[in-house]
């Protein structure tokens, strides 16, 4: 390590979703503190969107953005890429190798076996937890996970839920492990007031069954405002179940009450609704819940994954997943008592501001790097 700055190589597969959001925020924060950061990504996933996202990180990733073959499941790249990452780490004189996701963690730790002096960190981000033990690929990944713990300085879980799930599925980590929540940037705590034509509720997410989109519209059909008018909903996003969702909306007679606006930035969509709804059937630690809370919208959500950790002192208001009647009751309650919903929002905002900031997240990870090095 030269001076007080680390030389860090962040390893991940596809630069998309919450995992990449985390890596990008961490990279920028580390660069601002004087550390030198490089990024390793999959050469097989290089469409226009990924190139744009990576280009935006170029000035902060001073050690470069490097591409190697990283097949989503098992493939030829799994035999060669760990050696390539190890050689790159030696060439760049890397102090810290940090793998993200199942494949990123796999390559980072195997690279350490190749002779790199770097200390190795691993953040699963759900990753290996998505490979069930009922399938051969899952059993192989889990076996590899257990073997690679001995080459891991620390496993960093983004939620206590992820840590508990990992221990149940893989086994209790034999290396050091800790929970460091993902964080939001300061500008994301600026309030987003509702626009003049805002709907009663807003949903932001992928249009697929797992996000609870069908219980959501079934609940909306049961919700009326205190003045007796039917409640309205804006849904932002796209996905494989959009056509099925449109058919269900029509079947329920909600065509005039539900507006589908496609994929748009979350904060722009938040202005289209007065209350956010996140009715997911399964999650890890969804950014959209943090983002909506930080934007100062009342949030209705389900008790899945690490959402209770985001809700903190307001977790008692979480509802069971897949329960349209409970969701309708919660939505009706928010419309009937906006003052109570606002008070709950303020309590949640204080918790999120204290526990889910990029500054706190990056500082905690940097401290782990320093302790290991």
């Amino acid at each position: 390590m030269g001076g007080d700055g680390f030389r860090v190589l962040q390893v991940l597969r596809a630069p998309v979703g919450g995992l990449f959001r985390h890596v990008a925020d961490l990279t920028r924060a580390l660069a601002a503190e004087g550390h030198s950061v490089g990024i390793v990504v999959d050469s097989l996933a290089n469409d226009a969107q990924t190139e744009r996202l990576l280009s935006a990180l170029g000035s902060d990733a001073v050690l470069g953005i490097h591409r190697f073959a990283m097949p989503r499941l098992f493939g030829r790249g799994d035999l060669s890429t760990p050696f390539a990452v190890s050689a790159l780490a030696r060439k760049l004189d890397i102090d810290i190798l940090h793998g993200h996701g199942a494949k990123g963690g796999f390559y980072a730790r195997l690279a350490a076996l190749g002779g790199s002096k770097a200390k190795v960190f691993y953040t699963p981000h759900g990753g290996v937890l998505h490979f069930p033990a009922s399938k051969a690929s899952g059993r192989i990944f889990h076996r590899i996970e257990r073997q690679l713990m001995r080459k891991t300085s620390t496993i960093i879980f983004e939620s206590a839920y992820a840590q508990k799930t990992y221990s149940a599925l893989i086994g209790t980590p034999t290396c050091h492990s800790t929970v460091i929540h993902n964080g939001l940037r300061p500008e994301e705590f600026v309030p987003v007031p509702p626009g003049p034509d805002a709907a009663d509720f807003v949903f932001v997410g992928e249009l697929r069954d797992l996000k609870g989109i069908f219980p959501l519209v079934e609940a909306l059909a049961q919700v009326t405002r205190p003045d007796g008018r039917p409640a309205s909903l804006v849904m932002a996003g796209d996905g494989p179940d959009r056509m099925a969702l449109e058919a269900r909306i029509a079947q329920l007679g909600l065509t005039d009450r539900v507006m589908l606006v496609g994929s748009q930035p979350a904060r722009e969509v938040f202005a289209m609704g007065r209350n956010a709804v996140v009715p997911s059937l399964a999650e890890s630690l969804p950014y959209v819940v943090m983002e909506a809370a930080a934007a100062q919208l009342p949030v209705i959500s389900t008790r899945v994954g690490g959402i209770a950790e985001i809700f903190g002192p307001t977790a008692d208001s979480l509802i069971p997943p897949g329960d349209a009647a409970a969701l309708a009751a919660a939505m009706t309650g928010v419309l009937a008592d906006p003052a109570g919903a606002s008070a709950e929002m303020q309590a949640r905002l204080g918790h999120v501001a204290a526990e889910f900031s990029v500054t706190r997240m990056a500082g905690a990870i940097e401290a782990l790097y320093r302790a290991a090095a």
Side-chain angles (χ1 to χ4, degrees):
M1 184 177 72
D4 291 328
F6 298 107
R7 298 176 68 81
V8 183
L9 199 58
Q10 308 278 356
V11 186
L12 65 154
R13 195 184 71 83
V16 294
L19 187 157
F20 181 68
R21 158 76 192 262
H22 170 88
V23 172
D25 286 341
L26 180 58
T27 295
R28 292 189 175 103
L30 291 171
E33 292 298 315
H35 305 297
S36 300
V37 184
I39 297 174
V40 171
V41 295
D42 180 21
S43 61
L44 305 175
N46 55 353
D47 58 22
Q49 179 185 12
T50 61
E51 290 304 312
R52 178 179 56 81
L53 292 170
L54 290 170
S55 294
L57 265 184
S59 60
D60 295 296
V62 297
L63 297 182
I65 296 172
H66 308 269
R67 294 169 172 83
F68 301 105
M70 298 182 180
R72 191 177 72 84
L73 297 176
F74 288 109
R76 186 175 301 174
D78 293 327
L79 302 176
S80 58
T81 295
F83 296 102
V85 174
S86 181
L88 179 65
R90 294 194 302 272
K91 177 182 176 182
L92 295 176
D93 194 26
I94 294 298
D95 303 301
I96 302 292
L97 270 166
H98 193 156
H100 299 266
K103 278 302 181 78
F106 177 66
Y107 294 131
R109 290 175 292 174
L110 284 180
L113 291 174
S116 170
K117 67 177 180 60
K119 301 295 184 181
V120 184
F121 291 79
Y122 169 45
T123 304
H125 297 282
V128 73
L129 307 182
H130 295 157
F131 292 89
S134 59
K135 294 186 177 180
S137 59
R139 291 193 293 273
I140 292 170
F141 265 121
H142 296 171
R143 191 176 304 120
I144 292 172
E145 274 291 318
R146 297 182 191 104
Q147 293 298 318
L148 290 178
M149 285 182 192
R150 61 189 179 88
K151 292 300 297 183
T152 309
S153 293
T154 299
I155 300 177
I156 303 172
F157 295 98
E158 75 276 16
S159 66
Y161 163 79
Q163 185 180 48
K164 180 180 178 181
T165 304
Y166 183 98
S167 295
L169 193 61
I170 312 295
T172 302
T174 54
C175 60
H176 180 246
S177 69
T178 190
V179 175
I180 299 177
H181 290 127
N182 293 334
L184 300 177
R185 299 181 290 270
E187 62 269 22
E188 293 179 282
F189 286 91
V190 176
V192 178
D197 299 319
D200 296 301
F201 301 98
V202 61
F203 165 91
V204 182
E206 189 177 7
L207 299 185
R208 61 180 176 129
D209 179 66
L210 196 65
K211 295 299 181 180
I213 55 176
F214 296 106
L216 173 56
V217 294
E218 290 159 8
L220 182 74
Q222 307 172 46
V223 180
T224 57
R225 300 169 181 163
D227 61 7
R229 292 182 298 161
S232 57
L233 168 69
V234 167
M235 299 185 75
D238 213 336
D241 292 325
R242 176 165 184 149
M243 290 183 64
L245 175 65
E246 291 174 338
R248 185 61 174 143
I249 289 169
Q251 185 181 47
L252 292 166
L254 299 176
T255 304
D256 294 334
R257 296 171 58 185
V258 180
M259 181 183 297
L260 301 179
V261 298
S263 295
Q264 299 187 37
R267 285 179 63 84
E268 293 180 15
V269 179
F270 290 154
M272 301 179 190
R274 300 180 183 280
N275 305 280
V277 187
V278 185
S280 299
L281 307 183
E283 286 286 359
S284 180
L285 192 76
Y287 270 102
V288 68
V289 176
M290 292 185 278
E291 291 168 334
Q296 300 189 26
L297 272 73
V299 183
I300 297 168
S301 191
T302 46
R303 186 177 290 276
V304 295
I307 293 178
E309 296 168 56
I310 303 172
F311 265 52
T314 66
D316 285 347
S317 69
L318 292 170
I319 60 174
D323 188 333
L327 183 55
M331 294 165 74
T332 300
V334 165
L335 296 181
D337 184 13
S342 179
E344 181 179 304
M345 177 272 291
Q346 290 292 340
R348 187 178 304 123
L349 174 64
H351 172 70
V352 171
E355 299 293 329
F356 294 85
S357 71
V358 164
T359 300
R360 186 179 188 278
M361 175 195 81
I365 293 174
E366 182 187 26
L368 287 175
Y369 289 174
R370 194 171 298 282

